[in-house]
């Protein structure tokens, strides 16, 4: 016969079972378990680089033995010269200075076979880039044809930007403001005709989509720079990370079983600060790094050539439009260098800032005008034609209260956007960029995330910048506020660095601290 305690226990069990059945707890727990299993399976199936397996060690294990056990006489060399016992009232000192730690940098050309870290072969990447070299990748505009820009008169103000469009996106000719018209005619002496990219039924995030096959982990470390291959026919992304890796992701790769389109190289031993595709030779890619090296990836020769080396870090690198024989880069604390690739030497060397130069950009309509941003809290405009041997003078300076991590010209060259840690996006306009105002935006990233850098879209209408809530903010400089947020459940990390495709309107890439790249495309 059951005791009173046993009867109470059974009664409690029955009551708890009835409560759980009423709340349907077991069914919900089963659904959560199945969802977690599906999410894990999705993560396992996602695209990612595959590092080659390390070769097993072939050297035998050496067991250390003392001189006594080996039957040898003890070493009687004695103490080194200049040795002082701490018991005599001083610490142990040596006359000879301690040797410096050897740098792991390789100051020589680096073959692809030595730099490649992928599991498969990189021959498909070589064939793709060489194929781009043999044909025009920018295409020709067909007047009035669906899927292309209707451009009856070529606009010099946007000749370096978008040359195609996708469905639900069209380019509308618009008469510019009087202030813009006056400044362009005065400064550049060219006809003014701006193009404005508009979206049907207003700007709607549903027009830009993020698909699962457009998400991949391209590099293992935190991404410092992400760039599209400037080619309309090939959709490829290059990313450089904190560990010195440069990864290429061909989104057009169809045979995913044998080749997922991701190719990983390690040409540097420190964070990669910049990646530049040669303007007239896309099979040559220039990269700079904090290790003080600038390398030229020559796909035809399958080698990373050494272009420049220094003991100081290189924080930024750029090229002027229509000038692929010169490199413009910032090294050390505020030093700016112009390097001639043909002569293999420095042409000019100036100290432009008090702290490091984070970005270098050139006006697309007047390449003699250059913009730099610096950790010293300033963004400056320079005229290369008036820069003498001594420290040159700035055309315009925009001051922020904290470090400025980017300063980029708009596609028309009429505006300049800066991004600073003081939580502001700065805008400069006017004939001499004398008009300035700031737009609030939270740019306080942690030390584990690359600093935000606002980039222009395909015209002067929108600026794209990362959001700490794992989104991409779309800022309208005219309205001086954020007008839209791009977000998707697939984007599971903060997109710190962004790049808009220079020829395919509506295609942009966001990169994260975990090495992932998310490519948004227009529907």
């Amino acid at each position: 016969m059951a005791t009173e305690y046993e009867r109470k226990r059974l009664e409690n069990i029955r009551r708890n079972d009835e409560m759980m059945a009423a709340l349907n707890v077991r069914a919900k727990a089963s659904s959560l378990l199945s969802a977690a299993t599906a999410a894990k399976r999705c993560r396992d199936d996602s695209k990612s680089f595959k590092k080659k397996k390390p070769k097993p060690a072939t050297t035998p294990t050496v067991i250390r033995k003392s001189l006594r056990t080996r039957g040898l006489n003890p070493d009687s060399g004695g103490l080194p010269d200049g040795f002082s016992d701490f018991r005599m009232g001083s610490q142990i000192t040596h006359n000879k200075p301690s040797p410096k730690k050897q740098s792991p940098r390789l100051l020589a050309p680096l073959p692809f076979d030595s730099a490649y870290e992928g599991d498969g072969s990189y021959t498909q990447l070589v064939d793709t880039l060489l194929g781009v070299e043999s044909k025009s990748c920018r295409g020709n505009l067909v007047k009035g044809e669906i899927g292309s820009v209707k451009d009856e008169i070529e606009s010099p103000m946007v000749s370096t930007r978008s040359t195609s469009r996708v469905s639900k996106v069209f380019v509308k000719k618009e008469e510019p403001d009087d202030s813009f018209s006056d400044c362009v005619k005065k400064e550049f002496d060219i006809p003014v005709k701006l193009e404005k990219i508009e979206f049907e039924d207003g700007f709607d995030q549903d027009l830009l989509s993020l698909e699962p096959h457009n998400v991949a982990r391209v590099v293992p470390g935190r991404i410092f720079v992400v760039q599209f291959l400037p080619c309309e026919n090939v959709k490829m992304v290059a990313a450089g990370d904190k560990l010195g890796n440069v990864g290429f992701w061909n989104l057009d790769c169809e045979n995913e079983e044998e080749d997922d389109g991701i190719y990983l190289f390690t040409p540097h031993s420190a964070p990669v600060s910049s990646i530049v595709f040669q303007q007239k030779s896309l099979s040559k890619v220039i990269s700079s790094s904090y290790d003080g090296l600038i390398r030229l990836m020559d796909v035809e020769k399958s080698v990373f050539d050494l272009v420049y080396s220094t003991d100081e870090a290189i924080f930024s690198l750029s090229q002027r439009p229509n000038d692929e024989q010169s490199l413009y880069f910032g090294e050390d604390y505020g030093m700016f260098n112009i390097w001639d690739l043909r002569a293999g030497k420095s042409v000019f060397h100036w100290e432009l800032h008090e702290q490091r130069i984070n970005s270098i950009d050139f006006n697309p309509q007047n390449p003699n005008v250059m913009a730099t941003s610096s950790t010293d809290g300033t963004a400056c405009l320079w005229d290369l034609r008036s820069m003498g041997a001594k420290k040159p003078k700035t055309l315009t300076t925009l001051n922020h209260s904290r470090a400025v991590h980017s300063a980029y010209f708009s596609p028309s060259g009429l505006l300049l956007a800066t991004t600073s840690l003081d939580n502001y996006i700065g805008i400069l306009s006017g004939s001499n960029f004398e008009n300035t105002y700031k737009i609030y935006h939270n740019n306080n990233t942690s030390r584990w995330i690359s600093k935000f850098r606002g980039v222009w879209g395909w015209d002067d209408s929108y600026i794209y910048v990362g959001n700490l809530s794992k989104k991409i903010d779309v800022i309208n400089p005219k309205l001086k506020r954020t007008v839209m947020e791009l977000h998707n459940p697939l984007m599971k990390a903060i997109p710190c660095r962004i790049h808009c495709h220079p020829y395919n309107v509506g295609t942009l890439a966001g990169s994260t601290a975990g090495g992932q790249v998310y490519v948004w495309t227009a529907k």
Side-chain angles (χ1 to χ4, degrees), residues 328-330 334-338 348-350 352 357 360 370:
Y328 301 78
F329 56 92
M335 301 304 298
F336 177 76
N337 202 337
I338 301 180
F348 292 104
H349 197 80
W350 298 292
L352 299 185
I357 299 174
I360 301 171
M370 178 183 67

Side-chain angles (χ1 to χ4, degrees), residues 10-135:
L10 295 175
E11 178 65 21
N12 290 338
I13 292 175
R14 183 188 62 79
R15 188 169 61 252
N16 291 338
D17 289 340
E18 292 177 353
M19 184 183 302
M20 294 183 68
L23 296 175
N24 200 18
V25 174
R26 290 188 175 87
K28 293 180 179 179
S30 178
S31 62
L32 289 175
L33 179 61
S34 61
T37 305
K40 182 179 179 181
R41 188 181 301 111
C42 180
R43 287 195 301 269
D44 295 339
D45 296 338
S46 61
K47 295 181 182 179
S48 178
F49 65 92
K50 298 178 180 64
K51 299 194 70 172
K52 56 186 177 183
K53 299 179 181 179
K55 297 181 180 180
T58 56
T59 56
T61 304
V62 179
I63 301 176
R64 297 182 61 186
K65 293 183 179 180
S66 65
L67 296 175
R68 181 183 61 81
T69 57
R70 286 185 288 172
L72 301 176
N73 295 326
D75 185 7
S76 58
L79 296 175
D81 295 337
F83 178 82
S84 176
D85 196 336
F86 68 94
R87 290 175 295 181
M88 300 298 292
S90 61
Q91 296 181 350
I92 299 176
T93 59
H94 301 275
N95 288 336
K96 297 182 179 180
S98 58
K100 293 183 179 180
K101 184 178 179 181
Q102 295 293 329
S103 173
R105 301 185 307 169
L106 176 63
L107 301 180
L110 184 63
F112 276 14
D113 292 335
S114 301
Y116 189 61
E117 296 290 339
D119 188 22
S121 173
Y122 55 81
T123 56
Q124 186 65 32
L125 172 66
V126 173
D127 294 340
T128 301
L129 292 178
L130 291 180
V132 169
E133 279 291 289
S134 62
K135 62 182 179 180

